[in-house]
Amino acid sequence: MQSNALPWITSFKKSQQWAQARRDGLYDMSIGGRDQIQSRDSDLEQRVVAVVDRPNTVPDRDRELLFLRSKLVDLEDRSCRDNVRSFGFPEHVEGVDVQTFLKETLPTLTGISFDPSMEFQRAHRLGPKRAEDSRRSRPIKSCLMRHTQARQLISTACTQGPFHADGYEIHVTADFSKETNERRNAF
């Protein structure tokens, strides 16, 4: 009986030694881990103090954001200075070619003889198509090749008011950014 118990006792003693070594290692790890956590905590505290002590960083960023936004609006307005919006033309009256329609219609409406004749970079309706029974038509946005012609057309439209053709009231305006239009409407 003693011969059978001896290997079991030896095995038990080895597992006790292994368990003790494991506990010692975990204890050493917990001490090192605690020191590491304390150093990270102090680093984090220093960072928080640095952020709190930094004066006016958020207002500076807000000021910079407003400045950049105003520059963006200015750039958008400058890039649209050759653009003209025309409101009131019924849907599909322009046919297939909007540029040809505007080249023939705008000089006769305004009474301006353009020399050289009006040339467009592009012209198209704005927004999604509306239902056939809709009473409102989509505006036409056109970009003229010459800035002077666009300004002449807009100034004539401002002084003469809305134009009338075939029972429709036609408005011609400058094309500005959304922000500029909101500021002008608030005036």
Side-chain angles (χ1 to χ4, degrees), residues 82-86 140-142 144 150 153-154 172-175:
D82 298 335
N83 294 354
V84 175
R85 286 189 188 211
S86 306
I140 297 176
K141 181 176 182 177
S142 56
L144 280 81
L153 187 63
I154 291 167
V172 178
T173 64
D175 183 36

Side-chain angles (χ1 to χ4, degrees), residues 4 13 25 29 40-41 48 52 63 79-80 84 86 90 96 98 104 112 114 127 145-146 148 152 167-168 170 172 183:
N4 286 342
K13 285 184 178 181
M29 283 177 43
R40 285 185 181 173
D41 188 36
V48 168
V52 169
R63 204 173 310 121
S79 70
C80 293
V84 175
S86 306
V96 179
V98 180
E104 294 169 356
I112 302 171
F114 292 103
M145 293 288 278
R146 293 178 190 83
T148 54
Q152 185 179 10
Y168 294 102
I170 311 296
V172 178
R183 275 198 326 251

Side-chain angles (χ1 to χ4, degrees), residues 139-179:
I140 297 176
K141 181 176 182 177
S142 56
C143 180
L144 280 81
M145 293 288 278
R146 293 178 190 83
H147 169 71
T148 54
Q149 289 180 347
R151 290 298 118 208
Q152 185 179 10
L153 187 63
I154 291 167
S155 67
T156 302
C158 286
T159 58
Q160 293 182 6
F163 304 105
H164 298 280
D166 299 332
Y168 294 102
E169 188 173 270
I170 311 296
H171 296 268
V172 178
T173 64
D175 183 36
F176 292 110
S177 65
K178 178 184 173 187
E179 291 83 1

